[in-house]
Amino acid sequence: MVMVCYYNHLLTPVGGVRFSITKPSVLRAETNNPMASDLSSDRSVFRGVSSSSPIRRRDLVFVVNPRGANGRTGKEWKKLLPYLQSRLGSDCNICESLTSGPSHAIDITREAIREGADAVIAVGGDGTLHEVVNGFFWDGKPVANWNTEAVHSTALGLIPLGTGSDFARTLGWKNDPREAIDRIARGVRSRIDVGVISREGEGSHYFINVADIHLSAKAGFYASRYKKFGNLCYVIGALQAFIGHHNQDLRIKVNEGEWQTLSQVTALCVGNAKYFGGGMKITPNADPQSGSFEVVILQDFKWYDFILKLHKLYNGTHLSLNNVTSRNVYTIEVDEISGSGNIFIQSDGEHLGFLPRKLSILPGAIEMIC
């Protein structure tokens, strides 16, 4: 028998959103009836039930976006439950939490870390992973376990089930959720870098994959409206973004140096990992364990350049083009020159608004189950 538990919670705004936890409730799910643990979307799960075994059982919190990939994530998750329970149930407290809307995964993750979970596993696409990563931080600092004597930290895990799985591609993982569960069962951890995006007078935002500016960010903004078309949404978004697009002069400051001007920028991509846009190898030399970003800058691209050179963008050979440059950085500030206020920025496919922004690397900021 596997214990699957949940907390009824009360949202209380304290400079943002925090959780006030009430008494836990427990749902018992027989291994031969996996659907019994299918909780409604307003039941958030944070911590498992303590085991009577002298060996401490791991508390694993699975954050699931049931509406991801047009509902496919929720359906695939239900199918995975029997294997998950058989593979992990004897050694772990399996805790399920279904998100109910935007940013819910952030709140769930923060509470799980504070309550001492061994790992928070994002179940879904890059959007769910992005929210879970942001849940590891609060007010510009890592979230800490409320138990100051705890000897373990909370790790990040991933079961890719969404529209895009670009971060998993960087790690060389197959799009196989059972293989992901096997990794979680082994529990091997490795430190990975995280990017942080800041702007004067605003809170920090974190990313694990790729942040991008101008055309590609605008394309991602439009692509989010067409998720029902699967990976085709990225193509549709790019076509829509090209309507009325103009290359722009930008200025950048690298590693706290002097400002420099970049002429006719089409897109500027800051990679902690290699892929974005459903498999485009945009920052091919990026490594989330290197302690630095790879910044790739595309200049003076025309609409037909993307059609003629799209294959190079997907296989990562575009760095050989004359109007593409690449460099490794620790920090980069990006601002526009025209003052239009309409240069898009996004990270991990999430729209963040417009320039200016500063992007910095946080080396080894999170332990990840690899």
Side-chain angles (χ1 to χ4, degrees):
M1 178 179 292
V2 177
M3 294 287 192
V4 182
C5 61
Y6 60 87
Y7 286 85
N8 294 319
H9 59 273
L10 174 65
L11 289 177
T12 307
V14 182
V17 178
R18 289 191 59 184
F19 284 103
S20 174
I21 303 301
T22 59
K23 287 186 177 182
S25 300
V26 178
L27 176 66
R28 295 175 182 267
E30 300 288 350
T31 55
N32 61 358
N33 184 17
M35 297 304 106
S37 66
D38 179 23
L39 306 183
S40 64
S41 62
D42 62 344
R43 293 174 177 175
S44 294
V45 185
F46 300 112
R47 190 169 62 181
V49 180
S50 300
S51 170
S52 58
S53 169
I55 300 175
R56 192 181 71 84
R57 294 164 63 90
R58 290 188 294 159
D59 293 332
L60 304 181
V61 178
F62 292 83
V63 182
V64 187
N65 175 13
R67 289 162 299 284
N70 298 309
R72 182 171 59 84
T73 298
K75 294 175 183 177
E76 291 298 319
W77 170 247
K78 290 179 182 179
K79 294 177 184 177
L80 271 180
L81 283 173
Y83 185 75
L84 181 105
Q85 292 169 346
S86 64
R87 191 74 174 85
L88 300 173
S90 61
D91 301 314
C92 305
N93 296 316
I94 300 172
C95 309
E96 176 192 55
S97 187
L98 307 184
T99 62
S100 59
S103 300
H104 192 191
I106 297 176
D107 299 323
I108 293 168
T109 302
R110 286 176 181 156
E111 194 61 33
I113 295 171
R114 288 165 178 157
E115 292 290 333
D118 288 78
V120 179
I121 294 96
V123 181
D126 292 314
T128 302
L129 176 62
H130 177 77
E131 285 202 5
V132 169
V133 167
N134 274 269
F136 273 76
F137 302 89
W138 170 267
D139 196 24
K141 299 177 182 178
V143 175
N145 188 337
W146 275 328
N147 180 5
T148 57
E149 298 179 359
V151 295
H152 71 277
S153 61
T154 302
L156 169 68
L158 172 63
I159 298 179
L161 279 180
T163 302
S165 300
D166 284 317
F167 186 75
R169 287 186 178 94
T170 291
L171 300 178
W173 294 351
K174 298 177 182 177
N175 194 21
D176 183 348
R178 291 195 172 204
E179 186 179 276
I181 291 171
D182 292 341
R183 278 193 297 273
I184 294 164
R186 292 191 295 270
V188 177
R189 297 181 175 201
S190 183
R191 285 276 173 188
I192 61 168
D193 307 333
V194 172
V196 57
I197 302 174
S198 58
R199 181 177 183 174
E200 188 175 351
E202 296 183 7
S204 299
H205 197 92
Y206 301 85
F207 69 100
I208 195 172
N209 197 44
V210 177
D212 52 304
I213 291 166
H214 204 18
L215 179 65
S216 54
K218 189 176 180 181
F221 174 76
Y222 288 125
S224 65
R225 303 178 179 182
Y226 303 104
K227 287 291 182 71
K228 63 182 179 181
F229 295 107
N231 280 343
L232 187 60
C233 70
Y234 301 110
V235 177
I236 299 172
L239 292 173
Q240 188 169 353
F242 263 116
I243 300 174
H245 168 77
H246 300 285
N247 296 326
Q248 295 273 2
D249 293 345
L250 301 179
R251 64 176 191 149
I252 64 171
K253 182 191 289 187
V254 173
N255 298 337
E256 309 296 344
E258 299 295 324
W259 285 101
Q260 53 187 290
T261 299
L262 300 174
S263 63
Q264 295 299 291
V265 174
T266 306
L268 186 152
C269 303
V270 181
N272 185 50
K274 300 179 187 299
Y275 297 89
F276 79 162
M280 190 178 294
K281 200 173 184 180
I282 190 65
T283 46
N285 299 313
D287 179 353
Q289 294 181 307
S290 67
S292 65
F293 295 128
E294 181 182 25
V295 175
V296 170
I297 304 166
L298 283 65
Q299 293 173 268
D300 200 26
F301 267 60
K302 307 298 190 295
W303 67 268
Y304 50 81
D305 287 319
F306 281 95
I307 296 175
L308 296 175
K309 300 166 184 176
L310 189 62
H311 65 287
K312 288 184 175 290
L313 292 168
Y314 271 94
N315 62 29
T317 59
H318 55 289
L319 299 188
S320 62
L321 299 174
N322 291 332
N323 51 346
V324 177
T325 57
S326 171
R327 65 180 80 184
N328 290 331
V329 310
Y330 306 106
T331 68
I332 181 169
E333 295 180 59
V334 188
D335 198 358
E336 61 171 311
I337 294 175
S338 67
S340 65
N342 61 1
I343 306 296
F344 283 67
I345 179 171
Q346 68 170 13
S347 64
D348 299 347
E350 301 298 316
H351 176 62
L352 300 184
F354 307 93
L355 294 182
R357 288 292 192 280
K358 180 178 181 179
L359 301 90
S360 308
I361 195 79
L362 301 177
I366 291 180
E367 280 190 304
M368 186 165 191
I369 299 174
C370 295

